[in-house]
Amino acid sequence: MFFVNQRLQVLSDDVASPDAFSSLSPEVRLKVRDAFLKHTDLIEEFADENPVHLPTDQLDIVRSWRHLVHAKFYVFRQLKKYMVFLSTDKQPIAYGVLALSQPFEELVGPYLPVLTETVLLPFQGMIVYDGLMTSYRISFGPGIRRSLNENFKEAKTRHGIVTTLPMSDEPLPVRAPKARPVPKPPSREEKDEILRVSIEMIDQFCREHLNEEYAVLCRRLAEKLARKRPSPLLHGSPNTWASGIVRTIGWVNFLHDKSQTPYMRLSDIDAGFGISESGGAAKLAAIRKMLRIHPLDPNWTLPSRLEDNPMVWMLQVNGLMMDVRHASREVQEIAFNKGLIPYIPADRQQSNPR
């Protein structure tokens, strides 16, 4: 840059030597650097004249600077070997840049990204910067950060992280995705064993805390989950699924309502199976979503409560919603034969007189 100033006379003050130039403030030296960027042919002039008698290998380094990159960059991410400088181009390029005597964290601060302007130079198979850096103190919100992360991924896909200059114009070869090992499907015996363990835990819990009606419905729900392909019971511990199954049947039948018999809080079900409340709640939500189960669901209502469940008996007849219990026997028989109601109410009342 002392040589550049001699040629271009950027500074009016007399700068007598390279040492004198290097002692100037960065703001003053920046003026000379900016003038040089418009006259990069001075690189060859310096190398040809070699006014400071550099050896050949060092002149080769100087000549390589014709491949410099001057731009604005996001000082984006510190990796183990270098700092990533992400260009602001429409198709950004990621450069791996080494610091000089002062770490980049001291230059730009610990909070990345930072927008900066500088000159990148090749140096013995690496990339450094020219020692002059203008940083813009701008904070970036989450939207910009996400966009920069996407730009970084795209840059790595196109060229990788560039660590030498000049960079190759050839894009990186497209990598075939790594073949992931196909997990071995569980055997029928494994599936049956998981179902057996879950049902044993459910049966024991229902014997101790609920009743046989709950046990029958819970077993049916466990078997339905086991028949799904793939079965969700294969992922997660059996006691967690067992708790989620009992929770689901209890939730449909308002087991947590103190006016019901039996009565139990859903969180007490989790404690009975030795799992956390959040674990049981998560399995309840998963089962509900998986099988589209809703409160008072007729498919999962206790048989003893079917008669009192309005969802069992509400049907659309001639375009109107009605309680089929108040319809004629002919309509009830049609609904029963189509599987829309579990039984004909009058027949149940005759077989079970109150």
Side-chain angles (χ1 to χ4, degrees), residues 57-299:
D57 59 336
Q58 294 188 17
L59 285 177
D60 289 341
I61 292 173
V62 173
R63 284 193 172 96
S64 73
W65 291 347
R66 67 183 183 275
H67 301 298
L68 64 82
V69 178
H70 170 236
K72 289 182 180 178
F73 305 92
Y74 294 101
V75 183
F76 179 70
R77 183 173 297 168
Q78 179 67 60
L79 300 183
K80 185 176 181 180
K81 294 182 178 180
Y82 40 67
M83 178 72 79
V84 175
F85 279 45
L86 189 63
S87 72
T88 58
D89 303 327
K90 188 174 182 180
Q91 289 194 337
I93 300 171
Y95 298 92
V97 183
L98 277 71
L100 301 176
S101 59
Q102 189 176 7
F104 284 120
E105 291 86 346
E106 295 181 10
L107 292 169
V108 300
Y111 305 109
L112 302 180
V114 172
L115 182 62
T116 188
E117 182 177 354
T118 191
V119 174
L120 304 185
L121 300 172
F123 183 81
Q124 296 183 332
M126 301 172 287
I127 299 177
V128 296
Y129 78 112
D130 70 346
L132 294 172
M133 183 180 293
T134 302
S135 295
Y136 301 86
R137 297 303 175 185
I138 303 172
S139 59
F140 300 101
I144 297 295
R145 291 174 182 272
R146 283 193 296 270
S147 177
L148 292 178
N149 281 324
E150 291 301 318
N151 289 345
F152 179 51
K153 291 177 183 177
E154 291 176 11
K156 286 199 299 181
T157 301
R158 282 194 300 270
H159 300 288
I161 298 178
V162 178
T163 56
T164 59
L165 293 174
M167 63 174 284
S168 171
D169 293 330
E170 296 294 326
L172 288 178
V174 178
R175 293 183 179 180
K178 292 183 179 179
R180 296 185 178 180
V182 179
K184 181 182 177 182
S187 65
R188 177 65 181 269
E189 292 74 17
E190 290 175 312
K191 295 179 183 178
D192 290 345
E193 177 63 15
I194 291 171
L195 177 60
R196 184 189 66 78
V197 170
S198 299
I199 288 179
E200 283 184 357
M201 298 174 71
I202 289 169
D203 283 348
Q204 181 179 349
F205 183 88
C206 290
R207 281 196 304 270
E208 295 177 358
H209 302 284
L210 301 175
N211 56 34
E212 183 60 21
E213 264 195 319
Y214 269 102
V216 170
L217 271 186
C218 289
R219 283 197 294 269
R220 184 154 65 88
L221 179 54
E223 290 165 354
K224 188 174 183 65
L225 291 171
R227 288 193 298 270
K228 290 187 69 66
R229 296 292 182 269
S231 170
L233 301 183
L234 300 172
H235 306 285
S237 61
N239 59 327
T240 305
W241 280 111
S243 179
I245 289 167
V246 177
R247 252 182 174 265
T248 302
I249 300 301
W251 175 77
V252 170
N253 292 279
F254 296 91
L255 177 63
H256 53 283
D257 182 351
K258 290 184 178 181
S259 65
Q260 302 287 342
T261 303
Y263 153 76
M264 176 175 280
R265 296 184 305 175
L266 298 186
S267 58
D268 291 339
I269 297 174
D270 304 322
F273 284 100
I275 68 167
S276 66
E277 183 177 348
S278 60
K283 285 295 184 282
L284 165 61
I287 295 171
R288 285 172 50 194
K289 183 177 180 181
M290 204 180 309
L291 302 181
R292 299 179 180 178
I293 297 175
H294 53 81
L296 297 175
D297 192 321
N299 295 316

Side-chain angles (χ1 to χ4, degrees), residues 9-56:
Q9 297 295 310
V10 178
L11 304 180
S12 56
D13 296 336
D14 183 26
V15 182
S17 67
D19 289 339
F21 180 85
S22 64
S23 66
L24 298 173
S25 68
E27 291 77 14
V28 174
R29 287 184 282 125
L30 192 61
K31 294 178 183 179
V32 179
R33 197 279 303 277
D34 291 345
F36 156 73
L37 293 173
K38 300 175 183 177
H39 299 85
T40 54
D41 54 301
L42 290 174
I43 291 174
E44 286 298 329
E45 288 189 30
F46 177 89
D48 291 341
E49 293 184 23
N50 194 9
V52 290
H53 310 293
L54 296 177
T56 303

